[in-house]
Amino acid sequence: MTSRSRIQSIMTALSAVILWLYVTPAAKAQGDAQLTQYWALPTYYNPAAVGDTDYLRIRGGARMQWVGIDNAPRSFVAAADMPFKFIERRFGTGLVVQQESYGLFHNFTLDAQIGYKLKILKGELTVALQAGLYNQQFKGSEVYIPDDDDYHDSADDAIPQRDVAGYALDLGIGAFYVHKKFWGGISILHANNPTVSFTDDTQNSTSRAGETGGSSVSEMSKKYKFTASRTAYLIAGSNIPIKNTLFEVIPSLLVRSDFTTTDFQITGRVRYNKLFTAGLGYRYNDALSIMLGAEIKGIFIGYSYDYHLSEISRASSGSHELVAGYNLKLDFSEKNRHKHKSIRIL
């Protein structure tokens, strides 16, 4: 098979996967954004990570997956979180926004998070709830099925023929523990299996009625469902200083499961003087990653590149990801109520 033919085969396979999502009665979601720098946006994967520092933490990330392939996934995630005190108790609160497109699908989520904090074994445990809106869109008006497709025809009732969209309530829960030497947590996102229902109202003309040459038009209402899979996450990491140097090693791990399939990412980074970071990562059966980052006066920026290990690498030049953010030290005491101080990100 020539290189061109192989690329065309991969493109055809990708299109088939996208269409398959809609030919099932209740399609399953692709899943949450697959960030290589997952450790930079912990509240996206675990709502209980809110307020795990003493700062107002603002982060945003953009990912271009499978560059070179049309309609490949594109993701944007933004998150903000901070701790606060209420009736002498510590809490954390946050907000997460995601927008993602893949093929003819577009989804948008907006989630609010609240966590309660407890001091346990020289560390801090947070338990949290997340609630928000899950929006799913499908561009049925752009569906194209080749004439030689043996499985579907242009009037396939299993595929909407126009743009459709719907909303659903999205819930999540999590627990997160922070110690001076390590951190980690477990969470379940889309805990209620949010299901978005679509209705596609179309009109079909019937054949000529009787000898008078009249015709009749009947209106049909087609219903479709799209379900976001309940997904469990385990995220953990540690900071290990190298004695008598300004270097530290930062290993981390992300495990994801929708209770049918499970995958994981492992990352190893080295940071110098809490300023500059470089690292490598591996995503199970998918990609090798390199990453670079810098943290200066509360400003953080990180870049990663994924080289894919599957056949997709023959059609794509890889995946790129950029994450940026800012940490702002907040002091809510009466004495320094209006004093803000910026610090380096931990």
Side-chain angles (χ1 to χ4, degrees):
M1 180 182 291
T2 66
S3 177
R4 182 179 180 83
S5 298
R6 189 181 296 274
I7 291 174
Q8 290 176 338
S9 297
I10 293 174
M11 292 287 289
T12 301
L14 179 61
S15 299
V17 170
I18 293 169
L19 284 173
W20 176 83
L21 287 170
Y22 241 96
V23 300
T24 55
K28 290 291 185 179
Q30 173 193 343
D32 304 306
Q34 194 176 58
L35 299 178
T36 297
Q37 300 171 89
Y38 56 88
W39 39 266
L41 287 146
T43 61
Y44 176 65
Y45 294 105
N46 191 327
V50 291
D52 67 338
T53 68
D54 291 328
Y55 320 116
L56 169 61
R57 177 173 54 188
I58 302 171
R59 296 283 173 92
R63 179 175 176 82
M64 297 177 61
Q65 190 164 326
W66 302 339
V67 173
I69 295 180
D70 292 338
N71 296 318
R74 299 290 184 266
S75 306
F76 174 77
V77 178
D81 71 285
M82 61 179 287
F84 70 95
K85 282 190 176 182
F86 180 67
I87 57 173
E88 300 304 317
R89 301 288 185 179
R90 278 178 55 82
F91 295 84
T93 186
L95 189 69
V96 175
V97 178
Q98 176 203 247
Q99 184 172 359
E100 186 175 30
S101 64
Y102 46 101
L104 301 182
F105 286 95
H106 296 265
N107 68 49
F108 173 83
T109 59
L110 174 62
D111 295 297
Q113 304 164 324
I114 184 72
Y116 177 66
K117 299 180 177 294
L118 297 167
K119 293 291 185 181
I120 296 178
L121 300 176
K122 298 183 179 181
E124 186 174 68
L125 173 68
T126 303
V127 291
L129 296 176
Q130 173 174 292
L133 180 70
Y134 188 95
N135 168 247
Q136 184 70 42
Q137 304 174 39
F138 178 75
K139 291 190 174 183
S141 62
E142 297 183 14
V143 170
Y144 170 71
I145 301 176
D147 293 336
D148 59 352
D149 189 302
D150 296 330
Y151 298 98
H152 311 97
D153 59 44
S154 60
D156 195 331
D157 288 343
I159 302 174
Q161 301 299 301
R162 68 179 183 87
D163 295 351
V164 292
Y167 300 85
L169 174 67
D170 191 17
L171 301 176
I173 58 175
F176 199 80
Y177 184 73
V178 177
H179 189 273
K180 65 180 181 179
K181 294 183 178 180
F182 63 90
W183 51 269
I186 56 174
S187 62
I188 297 179
L189 302 187
H190 317 303
N192 59 326
N193 271 140
T195 298
V196 175
S197 297
F198 300 138
T199 299
D200 183 6
D201 295 322
T202 60
Q203 291 185 335
N204 294 328
S205 299
T206 63
S207 61
R208 181 173 298 181
E211 296 179 358
T212 61
S215 62
S216 63
V217 177
S218 63
E219 187 171 294
M220 299 177 60
S221 179
K222 304 172 187 175
K223 295 186 180 296
Y224 305 87
K225 291 183 178 181
F226 186 96
T227 300
S229 299
R230 182 182 296 115
T231 307
Y233 289 94
L234 166 66
I235 185 171
S238 178
N239 286 45
I240 305 172
I242 300 177
K243 193 173 182 180
N244 299 323
T245 73
L246 295 176
F247 290 94
E248 58 186 319
V249 178
I250 310 175
S252 57
L253 167 73
L254 176 70
V255 181
R256 175 176 61 178
S257 176
D258 63 3
F259 303 97
T260 300
T261 60
T262 300
D263 58 47
F264 66 88
Q265 300 181 62
I266 54 175
T267 306
R269 295 180 293 142
V270 175
R271 182 164 59 182
Y272 173 74
N273 197 27
K274 298 190 181 297
L275 291 173
F276 304 107
T277 307
L280 299 173
Y282 169 73
R283 184 181 298 113
Y284 177 66
N285 275 350
D286 181 38
L288 292 174
S289 309
I290 60 172
M291 54 201 76
L292 298 171
E295 310 166 8
I296 301 173
K297 295 184 177 179
I299 299 173
F300 166 80
I301 186 167
Y303 167 80
S304 66
Y305 168 77
D306 291 356
Y307 174 78
H308 295 281
L309 303 176
S310 64
E311 286 291 313
I312 205 75
S313 64
R314 296 181 179 272
S316 168
S317 59
S319 299
H320 302 268
E321 184 179 293
L322 183 67
V323 176
Y326 183 66
N327 272 20
L328 178 66
K329 178 70 174 180
L330 298 178
D331 188 343
F332 296 106
S333 66
E334 289 297 320
K335 181 178 179 181
N336 298 305
R337 190 172 61 178
H338 303 294
K339 183 178 179 181
H340 292 193
K341 180 181 178 182
S342 298
I343 59 90
R344 295 193 182 101
I345 293 176
L346 292 180

